[in-house]
Amino acid sequence: QVQDVETGGGSVHAGESLRLSCSKSGENQWCMAWFRQAPGKEREAVAAIDGPGRATYSNSVKGRFSISKDSKGTLYLQMDDLKPEDTAEYSCAVDLPTMFCDLPQAAPIERIPPRRWGQPTQVSVSS
């Protein structure tokens, strides 16, 4: 049984970096994406990467976050210059239709089935 583990979360100071990895098995030809949910806010997509490797980002993280994947379908999120407003619970989702890979255009996150989600990890950024 494959264990879904997201690693790399933690508590850092503003300006520091973290790298998240998602071991949820994903098929590389599909879209994969990272999402986050801050307390009291709705879940939002922050970074996505499609089959050929085209990456798109939300406006709030563009230029600071970088999404990537390897040949085994492991998804990563490099987060640089973190800010307190990046504090949230981060989750990855795999095997998504292409509409999720056209950020900053929003897509219906509620339609992603539970089996495509990785385990969430907390990122806390203090000023």
Side-chain angles (χ1 to χ4, degrees), residues 54-98:
R54 182 182 70 103
T56 57
Y57 302 91
S58 68
N59 292 329
S60 60
V61 308
K62 191 172 184 179
R64 300 187 297 118
F65 288 16
S66 179
I67 189 172
S68 63
K69 61 180 178 177
D70 64 19
S71 59
K72 298 180 180 180
T74 301
L75 187 66
Y76 302 95
L77 185 66
Q78 177 67 38
M79 304 185 293
D80 297 323
D81 189 24
L82 282 161
K83 303 177 179 181
E85 51 264 41
D86 294 319
T87 295
E89 186 177 78
Y90 285 71
S91 302
C92 67
V94 300
D95 299 344
L96 303 174
T98 55

mmCIF file of all heavy atoms in Angstrom, residues 54-98:
data_model
loop_
_atom_site.group_PDB
_atom_site.id
_atom_site.type_symbol
_atom_site.label_atom_id
_atom_site.label_comp_id
_atom_site.label_asym_id
_atom_site.label_seq_id
_atom_site.Cartn_x
_atom_site.Cartn_y
_atom_site.Cartn_z
ATOM 1 N N ARG A 54 4.244 22.480 -18.387
ATOM 2 C CA ARG A 54 3.954 23.910 -18.314
ATOM 3 C C ARG A 54 3.404 24.236 -16.927
ATOM 4 O O ARG A 54 2.447 23.621 -16.472
ATOM 5 C CB ARG A 54 2.939 24.296 -19.378
ATOM 6 C CG ARG A 54 2.604 25.784 -19.415
ATOM 7 C CD ARG A 54 1.550 26.060 -20.478
ATOM 8 N NE ARG A 54 0.256 25.516 -20.101
ATOM 9 C CZ ARG A 54 -0.756 26.233 -19.642
ATOM 10 N NH1 ARG A 54 -0.600 27.539 -19.477
ATOM 11 N NH2 ARG A 54 -1.904 25.659 -19.343
ATOM 12 N N ALA A 55 4.013 25.224 -16.288
ATOM 13 C CA ALA A 55 3.613 25.613 -14.937
ATOM 14 C C ALA A 55 2.840 26.915 -14.962
ATOM 15 O O ALA A 55 3.165 27.828 -15.729
ATOM 16 C CB ALA A 55 4.840 25.765 -14.049
ATOM 17 N N THR A 56 1.818 26.976 -14.132
ATOM 18 C CA THR A 56 1.065 28.214 -13.954
ATOM 19 C C THR A 56 0.886 28.453 -12.455
ATOM 20 O O THR A 56 0.936 27.504 -11.658
ATOM 21 C CB THR A 56 -0.307 28.175 -14.640
ATOM 22 O OG1 THR A 56 -1.061 27.060 -14.149
ATOM 23 C CG2 THR A 56 -0.158 28.048 -16.148
ATOM 24 N N TYR A 57 0.674 29.716 -12.089
ATOM 25 C CA TYR A 57 0.643 30.101 -10.691
ATOM 26 C C TYR A 57 -0.464 31.104 -10.407
ATOM 27 O O TYR A 57 -0.891 31.855 -11.296
ATOM 28 C CB TYR A 57 1.987 30.729 -10.288
ATOM 29 C CG TYR A 57 3.167 29.821 -10.503
ATOM 30 C CD1 TYR A 57 3.876 29.832 -11.698
ATOM 31 C CD2 TYR A 57 3.560 28.943 -9.505
ATOM 32 C CE1 TYR A 57 4.938 28.974 -11.907
ATOM 33 C CE2 TYR A 57 4.638 28.082 -9.700
ATOM 34 C CZ TYR A 57 5.319 28.104 -10.902
ATOM 35 O OH TYR A 57 6.381 27.251 -11.095
ATOM 36 N N SER A 58 -0.871 31.142 -9.161
ATOM 37 C CA SER A 58 -1.774 32.207 -8.740
ATOM 38 C C SER A 58 -0.970 33.498 -8.649
ATOM 39 O O SER A 58 0.266 33.476 -8.513
ATOM 40 C CB SER A 58 -2.391 31.881 -7.376
ATOM 41 O OG SER A 58 -1.390 31.918 -6.358
ATOM 42 N N ASN A 59 -1.653 34.602 -8.731
ATOM 43 C CA ASN A 59 -0.964 35.889 -8.694
ATOM 44 C C ASN A 59 -0.254 36.113 -7.354
ATOM 45 O O ASN A 59 0.759 36.807 -7.292
ATOM 46 C CB ASN A 59 -1.960 37.016 -8.957
ATOM 47 C CG ASN A 59 -2.488 36.988 -10.378
ATOM 48 O OD1 ASN A 59 -1.791 36.567 -11.299
ATOM 49 N ND2 ASN A 59 -3.731 37.426 -10.563
ATOM 50 N N SER A 60 -0.768 35.526 -6.313
ATOM 51 C CA SER A 60 -0.212 35.756 -4.982
ATOM 52 C C SER A 60 1.142 35.088 -4.770
ATOM 53 O O SER A 60 1.890 35.485 -3.872
ATOM 54 C CB SER A 60 -1.197 35.293 -3.911
ATOM 55 O OG SER A 60 -1.452 33.910 -4.055
ATOM 56 N N VAL A 61 1.463 34.078 -5.568
ATOM 57 C CA VAL A 61 2.730 33.366 -5.364
ATOM 58 C C VAL A 61 3.658 33.436 -6.563
ATOM 59 O O VAL A 61 4.815 32.995 -6.479
ATOM 60 C CB VAL A 61 2.491 31.887 -4.994
ATOM 61 C CG1 VAL A 61 1.537 31.777 -3.827
ATOM 62 C CG2 VAL A 61 1.990 31.084 -6.185
ATOM 63 N N LYS A 62 3.175 33.968 -7.653
ATOM 64 C CA LYS A 62 3.983 33.997 -8.875
ATOM 65 C C LYS A 62 5.285 34.752 -8.632
ATOM 66 O O LYS A 62 5.294 35.826 -8.061
ATOM 67 C CB LYS A 62 3.194 34.654 -10.005
ATOM 68 C CG LYS A 62 3.836 34.489 -11.376
ATOM 69 C CD LYS A 62 2.909 35.000 -12.463
ATOM 70 C CE LYS A 62 3.503 34.738 -13.841
ATOM 71 N NZ LYS A 62 2.595 35.203 -14.924
ATOM 72 N N GLY A 63 6.372 34.141 -9.058
ATOM 73 C CA GLY A 63 7.681 34.743 -8.856
ATOM 74 C C GLY A 63 8.362 34.303 -7.570
ATOM 75 O O GLY A 63 9.562 34.534 -7.389
ATOM 76 N N ARG A 64 7.605 33.676 -6.677
ATOM 77 C CA ARG A 64 8.183 33.214 -5.408
ATOM 78 C C ARG A 64 8.113 31.690 -5.267
ATOM 79 O O ARG A 64 8.981 31.091 -4.634
ATOM 80 C CB ARG A 64 7.438 33.849 -4.233
ATOM 81 C CG ARG A 64 7.480 35.366 -4.208
ATOM 82 C CD ARG A 64 6.875 35.926 -2.933
ATOM 83 N NE ARG A 64 5.453 35.603 -2.809
ATOM 84 C CZ ARG A 64 4.951 34.866 -1.814
ATOM 85 N NH1 ARG A 64 5.743 34.377 -0.882
ATOM 86 N NH2 ARG A 64 3.649 34.639 -1.772
ATOM 87 N N PHE A 65 7.101 31.081 -5.830
ATOM 88 C CA PHE A 65 6.925 29.636 -5.751
ATOM 89 C C PHE A 65 7.254 29.011 -7.100
ATOM 90 O O PHE A 65 7.034 29.616 -8.156
ATOM 91 C CB PHE A 65 5.483 29.282 -5.396
ATOM 92 C CG PHE A 65 5.077 29.584 -3.975
ATOM 93 C CD1 PHE A 65 5.826 30.417 -3.159
ATOM 94 C CD2 PHE A 65 3.904 29.041 -3.459
ATOM 95 C CE1 PHE A 65 5.439 30.702 -1.855
ATOM 96 C CE2 PHE A 65 3.508 29.304 -2.160
ATOM 97 C CZ PHE A 65 4.268 30.145 -1.364
ATOM 98 N N SER A 66 7.735 27.769 -7.047
ATOM 99 C CA SER A 66 8.051 27.044 -8.271
ATOM 100 C C SER A 66 7.587 25.600 -8.129
ATOM 101 O O SER A 66 7.982 24.901 -7.190
ATOM 102 C CB SER A 66 9.551 27.086 -8.528
ATOM 103 O OG SER A 66 9.880 26.367 -9.696
ATOM 104 N N ILE A 67 6.761 25.162 -9.064
ATOM 105 C CA ILE A 67 6.245 23.797 -9.042
ATOM 106 C C ILE A 67 7.052 22.951 -10.015
ATOM 107 O O ILE A 67 7.476 23.426 -11.076
ATOM 108 C CB ILE A 67 4.737 23.764 -9.398
ATOM 109 C CG1 ILE A 67 4.145 22.382 -9.164
ATOM 110 C CG2 ILE A 67 4.500 24.247 -10.822
ATOM 111 C CD1 ILE A 67 2.616 22.336 -9.314
ATOM 112 N N SER A 68 7.265 21.699 -9.660
ATOM 113 C CA SER A 68 7.982 20.790 -10.537
ATOM 114 C C SER A 68 7.531 19.364 -10.251
ATOM 115 O O SER A 68 6.842 19.097 -9.264
ATOM 116 C CB SER A 68 9.495 20.924 -10.339
ATOM 117 O OG SER A 68 9.862 20.567 -9.014
ATOM 118 N N LYS A 69 7.939 18.469 -11.121
ATOM 119 C CA LYS A 69 7.620 17.057 -10.939
ATOM 120 C C LYS A 69 8.757 16.235 -11.500
ATOM 121 O O LYS A 69 9.544 16.717 -12.324
ATOM 122 C CB LYS A 69 6.302 16.705 -11.636
ATOM 123 C CG LYS A 69 6.324 16.941 -13.137
ATOM 124 C CD LYS A 69 4.985 16.580 -13.773
ATOM 125 C CE LYS A 69 5.004 16.872 -15.274
ATOM 126 N NZ LYS A 69 3.730 16.474 -15.933
ATOM 127 N N ASP A 70 8.855 14.991 -11.056
ATOM 128 C CA ASP A 70 9.888 14.127 -11.617
ATOM 129 C C ASP A 70 9.241 13.024 -12.443
ATOM 130 O O ASP A 70 8.021 12.951 -12.575
ATOM 131 C CB ASP A 70 10.788 13.573 -10.507
ATOM 132 C CG ASP A 70 10.062 12.668 -9.523
ATOM 133 O OD1 ASP A 70 8.970 12.160 -9.844
ATOM 134 O OD2 ASP A 70 10.588 12.485 -8.413
ATOM 135 N N SER A 71 10.073 12.183 -12.992
ATOM 136 C CA SER A 71 9.593 11.155 -13.911
ATOM 137 C C SER A 71 8.735 10.103 -13.221
ATOM 138 O O SER A 71 8.018 9.355 -13.885
ATOM 139 C CB SER A 71 10.773 10.481 -14.604
ATOM 140 O OG SER A 71 11.632 9.889 -13.639
ATOM 141 N N LYS A 72 8.808 10.036 -11.895
ATOM 142 C CA LYS A 72 8.013 9.067 -11.149
ATOM 143 C C LYS A 72 6.649 9.614 -10.751
ATOM 144 O O LYS A 72 5.875 8.914 -10.095
ATOM 145 C CB LYS A 72 8.769 8.612 -9.902
ATOM 146 C CG LYS A 72 10.078 7.899 -10.199
ATOM 147 C CD LYS A 72 10.771 7.476 -8.915
ATOM 148 C CE LYS A 72 12.079 6.766 -9.210
ATOM 149 N NZ LYS A 72 12.777 6.351 -7.962
ATOM 150 N N GLY A 73 6.391 10.853 -11.135
ATOM 151 C CA GLY A 73 5.104 11.435 -10.789
ATOM 152 C C GLY A 73 5.073 12.068 -9.420
ATOM 153 O O GLY A 73 3.989 12.323 -8.881
ATOM 154 N N THR A 74 6.232 12.313 -8.828
ATOM 155 C CA THR A 74 6.284 13.017 -7.556
ATOM 156 C C THR A 74 6.261 14.521 -7.811
ATOM 157 O O THR A 74 7.003 15.028 -8.642
ATOM 158 C CB THR A 74 7.552 12.644 -6.773
ATOM 159 O OG1 THR A 74 7.562 11.237 -6.542
ATOM 160 C CG2 THR A 74 7.574 13.370 -5.432
ATOM 161 N N LEU A 75 5.415 15.174 -7.080
ATOM 162 C CA LEU A 75 5.200 16.605 -7.268
ATOM 163 C C LEU A 75 5.907 17.389 -6.168
ATOM 164 O O LEU A 75 5.918 16.973 -5.007
ATOM 165 C CB LEU A 75 3.702 16.886 -7.223
ATOM 166 C CG LEU A 75 3.220 18.287 -7.556
ATOM 167 C CD1 LEU A 75 3.504 18.610 -9.020
ATOM 168 C CD2 LEU A 75 1.729 18.415 -7.253
ATOM 169 N N TYR A 76 6.481 18.533 -6.540
ATOM 170 C CA TYR A 76 7.201 19.372 -5.591
ATOM 171 C C TYR A 76 6.698 20.813 -5.660
ATOM 172 O O TYR A 76 6.168 21.252 -6.680
ATOM 173 C CB TYR A 76 8.704 19.363 -5.896
ATOM 174 C CG TYR A 76 9.320 17.994 -5.880
ATOM 175 C CD1 TYR A 76 9.471 17.268 -7.059
ATOM 176 C CD2 TYR A 76 9.740 17.409 -4.687
ATOM 177 C CE1 TYR A 76 10.028 15.992 -7.050
ATOM 178 C CE2 TYR A 76 10.302 16.143 -4.668
ATOM 179 C CZ TYR A 76 10.447 15.435 -5.848
ATOM 180 O OH TYR A 76 10.994 14.188 -5.827
ATOM 181 N N LEU A 77 6.920 21.531 -4.567
ATOM 182 C CA LEU A 77 6.639 22.961 -4.546
ATOM 183 C C LEU A 77 7.763 23.651 -3.785
ATOM 184 O O LEU A 77 7.894 23.471 -2.570
ATOM 185 C CB LEU A 77 5.296 23.263 -3.895
ATOM 186 C CG LEU A 77 4.875 24.733 -3.931
ATOM 187 C CD1 LEU A 77 4.612 25.177 -5.384
ATOM 188 C CD2 LEU A 77 3.634 24.982 -3.073
ATOM 189 N N GLN A 78 8.569 24.400 -4.501
ATOM 190 C CA GLN A 78 9.620 25.203 -3.886
ATOM 191 C C GLN A 78 9.035 26.563 -3.549
ATOM 192 O O GLN A 78 8.535 27.252 -4.435
ATOM 193 C CB GLN A 78 10.806 25.360 -4.832
ATOM 194 C CG GLN A 78 11.916 26.250 -4.312
ATOM 195 C CD GLN A 78 12.634 25.654 -3.113
ATOM 196 O OE1 GLN A 78 12.859 24.451 -3.056
ATOM 197 N NE2 GLN A 78 13.006 26.495 -2.153
ATOM 198 N N MET A 79 9.093 26.929 -2.292
ATOM 199 C CA MET A 79 8.507 28.179 -1.837
ATOM 200 C C MET A 79 9.614 29.071 -1.293
ATOM 201 O O MET A 79 10.236 28.745 -0.273
ATOM 202 C CB MET A 79 7.462 27.912 -0.757
ATOM 203 C CG MET A 79 6.373 26.947 -1.194
ATOM 204 S SD MET A 79 5.076 26.749 0.041
ATOM 205 C CE MET A 79 5.992 25.919 1.340
ATOM 206 N N ASP A 80 9.882 30.148 -1.976
ATOM 207 C CA ASP A 80 10.922 31.107 -1.576
ATOM 208 C C ASP A 80 10.285 32.422 -1.145
ATOM 209 O O ASP A 80 9.153 32.722 -1.493
ATOM 210 C CB ASP A 80 11.886 31.348 -2.735
ATOM 211 C CG ASP A 80 12.627 30.101 -3.150
ATOM 212 O OD1 ASP A 80 12.987 29.293 -2.255
ATOM 213 O OD2 ASP A 80 12.848 29.913 -4.358
ATOM 214 N N ASP A 81 11.065 33.185 -0.400
ATOM 215 C CA ASP A 81 10.606 34.498 0.065
ATOM 216 C C ASP A 81 9.214 34.390 0.689
ATOM 217 O O ASP A 81 8.289 35.140 0.338
ATOM 218 C CB ASP A 81 10.603 35.497 -1.093
ATOM 219 C CG ASP A 81 10.349 36.923 -0.638
ATOM 220 O OD1 ASP A 81 10.617 37.228 0.539
ATOM 221 O OD2 ASP A 81 9.850 37.728 -1.461
ATOM 222 N N LEU A 82 9.074 33.462 1.594
ATOM 223 C CA LEU A 82 7.768 33.231 2.221
ATOM 224 C C LEU A 82 7.320 34.442 3.021
ATOM 225 O O LEU A 82 8.130 35.153 3.624
ATOM 226 C CB LEU A 82 7.832 31.987 3.105
ATOM 227 C CG LEU A 82 7.766 30.669 2.345
ATOM 228 C CD1 LEU A 82 8.285 29.517 3.183
ATOM 229 C CD2 LEU A 82 6.339 30.398 1.895
ATOM 230 N N LYS A 83 6.021 34.634 3.027
ATOM 231 C CA LYS A 83 5.413 35.755 3.729
ATOM 232 C C LYS A 83 4.395 35.235 4.740
ATOM 233 O O LYS A 83 3.874 34.124 4.579
ATOM 234 C CB LYS A 83 4.707 36.673 2.727
ATOM 235 C CG LYS A 83 5.618 37.205 1.630
ATOM 236 C CD LYS A 83 4.831 38.052 0.641
ATOM 237 C CE LYS A 83 5.745 38.604 -0.448
ATOM 238 N NZ LYS A 83 5.013 39.461 -1.405
ATOM 239 N N PRO A 84 4.093 36.016 5.758
ATOM 240 C CA PRO A 84 3.093 35.563 6.746
ATOM 241 C C PRO A 84 1.764 35.172 6.098
ATOM 242 O O PRO A 84 1.090 34.245 6.562
ATOM 243 C CB PRO A 84 2.946 36.774 7.659
ATOM 244 C CG PRO A 84 4.275 37.434 7.605
ATOM 245 C CD PRO A 84 4.732 37.273 6.173
ATOM 246 N N GLU A 85 1.399 35.842 5.019
ATOM 247 C CA GLU A 85 0.134 35.508 4.362
ATOM 248 C C GLU A 85 0.178 34.177 3.616
ATOM 249 O O GLU A 85 -0.847 33.722 3.103
ATOM 250 C CB GLU A 85 -0.289 36.630 3.398
ATOM 251 C CG GLU A 85 0.770 37.069 2.421
ATOM 252 C CD GLU A 85 1.536 38.283 2.901
ATOM 253 O OE1 GLU A 85 1.871 38.358 4.124
ATOM 254 O OE2 GLU A 85 1.821 39.168 2.059
ATOM 255 N N ASP A 86 1.342 33.560 3.534
ATOM 256 C CA ASP A 86 1.445 32.216 2.954
ATOM 257 C C ASP A 86 1.099 31.138 3.983
ATOM 258 O O ASP A 86 1.031 29.957 3.637
ATOM 259 C CB ASP A 86 2.864 31.966 2.434
ATOM 260 C CG ASP A 86 3.224 32.864 1.266
ATOM 261 O OD1 ASP A 86 2.358 33.074 0.396
ATOM 262 O OD2 ASP A 86 4.376 33.351 1.233
ATOM 263 N N THR A 87 0.903 31.529 5.211
ATOM 264 C CA THR A 87 0.545 30.571 6.254
ATOM 265 C C THR A 87 -0.768 29.894 5.901
ATOM 266 O O THR A 87 -1.789 30.556 5.681
ATOM 267 C CB THR A 87 0.415 31.278 7.612
ATOM 268 O OG1 THR A 87 1.701 31.782 7.998
ATOM 269 C CG2 THR A 87 -0.099 30.312 8.680
ATOM 270 N N ALA A 88 -0.733 28.567 5.820
ATOM 271 C CA ALA A 88 -1.915 27.807 5.413
ATOM 272 C C ALA A 88 -1.604 26.322 5.496
ATOM 273 O O ALA A 88 -0.463 25.911 5.696
ATOM 274 C CB ALA A 88 -2.322 28.172 3.992
ATOM 275 N N GLU A 89 -2.641 25.545 5.303
ATOM 276 C CA GLU A 89 -2.493 24.099 5.142
ATOM 277 C C GLU A 89 -2.385 23.833 3.642
ATOM 278 O O GLU A 89 -3.274 24.205 2.871
ATOM 279 C CB GLU A 89 -3.687 23.387 5.742
ATOM 280 C CG GLU A 89 -3.572 21.879 5.766
ATOM 281 C CD GLU A 89 -4.772 21.252 6.460
ATOM 282 O OE1 GLU A 89 -5.841 21.169 5.810
ATOM 283 O OE2 GLU A 89 -4.663 20.856 7.629
ATOM 284 N N TYR A 90 -1.298 23.189 3.248
ATOM 285 C CA TYR A 90 -1.032 22.938 1.835
ATOM 286 C C TYR A 90 -1.336 21.481 1.500
ATOM 287 O O TYR A 90 -0.996 20.568 2.273
ATOM 288 C CB TYR A 90 0.423 23.252 1.508
ATOM 289 C CG TYR A 90 0.711 24.725 1.437
ATOM 290 C CD1 TYR A 90 0.732 25.504 2.588
ATOM 291 C CD2 TYR A 90 0.926 25.362 0.218
ATOM 292 C CE1 TYR A 90 0.972 26.867 2.540
ATOM 293 C CE2 TYR A 90 1.181 26.727 0.148
ATOM 294 C CZ TYR A 90 1.192 27.477 1.310
ATOM 295 O OH TYR A 90 1.425 28.826 1.249
ATOM 296 N N SER A 91 -1.936 21.281 0.329
ATOM 297 C CA SER A 91 -2.255 19.935 -0.142
ATOM 298 C C SER A 91 -1.966 19.851 -1.628
ATOM 299 O O SER A 91 -2.033 20.856 -2.335
ATOM 300 C CB SER A 91 -3.737 19.624 0.082
ATOM 301 O OG SER A 91 -4.091 19.729 1.437
ATOM 302 N N CYS A 92 -1.656 18.649 -2.071
ATOM 303 C CA CYS A 92 -1.476 18.432 -3.497
ATOM 304 C C CYS A 92 -2.598 17.546 -4.021
ATOM 305 O O CYS A 92 -3.229 16.813 -3.255
ATOM 306 C CB CYS A 92 -0.127 17.792 -3.788
ATOM 307 S SG CYS A 92 0.040 16.121 -3.168
ATOM 308 N N ALA A 93 -2.840 17.641 -5.294
ATOM 309 C CA ALA A 93 -3.811 16.784 -5.952
ATOM 310 C C ALA A 93 -3.247 16.391 -7.307
ATOM 311 O O ALA A 93 -2.572 17.191 -7.974
ATOM 312 C CB ALA A 93 -5.150 17.484 -6.098
ATOM 313 N N VAL A 94 -3.513 15.168 -7.693
ATOM 314 C CA VAL A 94 -2.929 14.644 -8.934
ATOM 315 C C VAL A 94 -4.016 14.122 -9.849
ATOM 316 O O VAL A 94 -5.183 13.968 -9.451
ATOM 317 C CB VAL A 94 -1.908 13.526 -8.622
ATOM 318 C CG1 VAL A 94 -0.785 14.054 -7.747
ATOM 319 C CG2 VAL A 94 -2.589 12.326 -7.972
ATOM 320 N N ASP A 95 -3.606 13.843 -11.095
ATOM 321 C CA ASP A 95 -4.514 13.280 -12.098
ATOM 322 C C ASP A 95 -5.745 14.155 -12.303
ATOM 323 O O ASP A 95 -6.891 13.678 -12.289
ATOM 324 C CB ASP A 95 -4.936 11.854 -11.709
ATOM 325 C CG ASP A 95 -3.759 10.903 -11.625
ATOM 326 O OD1 ASP A 95 -2.681 11.250 -12.143
ATOM 327 O OD2 ASP A 95 -3.915 9.821 -11.030
ATOM 328 N N LEU A 96 -5.477 15.407 -12.513
ATOM 329 C CA LEU A 96 -6.540 16.387 -12.675
ATOM 330 C C LEU A 96 -6.775 16.717 -14.140
ATOM 331 O O LEU A 96 -5.836 16.665 -14.943
ATOM 332 C CB LEU A 96 -6.186 17.668 -11.927
ATOM 333 C CG LEU A 96 -5.890 17.544 -10.433
ATOM 334 C CD1 LEU A 96 -5.416 18.881 -9.875
ATOM 335 C CD2 LEU A 96 -7.111 17.051 -9.689
ATOM 336 N N PRO A 97 -7.984 17.093 -14.489
ATOM 337 C CA PRO A 97 -8.216 17.560 -15.864
ATOM 338 C C PRO A 97 -7.504 18.892 -16.116
ATOM 339 O O PRO A 97 -7.159 19.610 -15.183
ATOM 340 C CB PRO A 97 -9.737 17.705 -15.933
ATOM 341 C CG PRO A 97 -10.191 17.799 -14.518
ATOM 342 C CD PRO A 97 -9.204 17.041 -13.692
ATOM 343 N N THR A 98 -7.319 19.218 -17.358
ATOM 344 C CA THR A 98 -6.496 20.366 -17.730
ATOM 345 C C THR A 98 -7.031 21.699 -17.231
ATOM 346 O O THR A 98 -6.274 22.665 -17.115
ATOM 347 C CB THR A 98 -6.331 20.437 -19.252
ATOM 348 O OG1 THR A 98 -7.612 20.452 -19.865
ATOM 349 C CG2 THR A 98 -5.545 19.245 -19.749
#
